[in-house]
Amino acid sequence: MPFINSKVSVTINEEQEKELKTRLGQAIALIPGKSESWLMTGFEDNYHLYFRGENSEPMAFVEVKVLGAENPTAFDALTGEICKIFGDVLGISADHIYVKYEAVKNWGWNGANF
């Protein structure tokens, strides 16, 4: 039950969105027990972001929410992969990407909670 939501300061075209979705789907497997079959993704492009008081360079804020306990080692590996993906697909430098993780105890789906 992972969810990856991305707020980026650039425009995402349809081809880029599909590539992001596909590559994030592969990357989520870096967290043990997580897979694309349960992954939901969201993309908010042209988002007004400022970093260090500036907005002259492309940047991203990526939130990763997972059901269960935190896994700092897996989260570290996923951060590296997320930075690579957003760099490759959207040209956003790793030093202009924040990644936030949240482990969630309660998660609802299909009319009930896990």
Side-chain angles (χ1 to χ4, degrees), residues 30-98:
L30 292 168
I31 300 175
K34 305 304 178 193
S35 69
E36 183 179 24
S37 63
W38 287 99
L39 176 65
M40 182 180 284
T41 56
F43 303 100
E44 300 177 59
D45 66 349
N46 297 310
Y47 200 84
H48 295 269
L49 293 169
Y50 289 80
F51 184 56
R52 298 181 181 131
E54 301 288 331
N55 70 347
S56 58
E57 295 184 43
M59 60 190 79
F61 179 71
V62 182
E63 295 177 284
V64 181
K65 299 179 188 236
V66 295
L67 175 67
E70 295 181 1
N71 185 327
T73 303
F75 290 175
D76 189 53
L78 184 55
T79 295
E81 191 60 24
I82 286 171
C83 288
K84 180 171 178 18
I85 291 167
F86 280 80
D88 291 348
V89 178
L90 300 177
I92 301 175
S93 174
D95 68 348
H96 280 73
I97 300 172
Y98 274 169

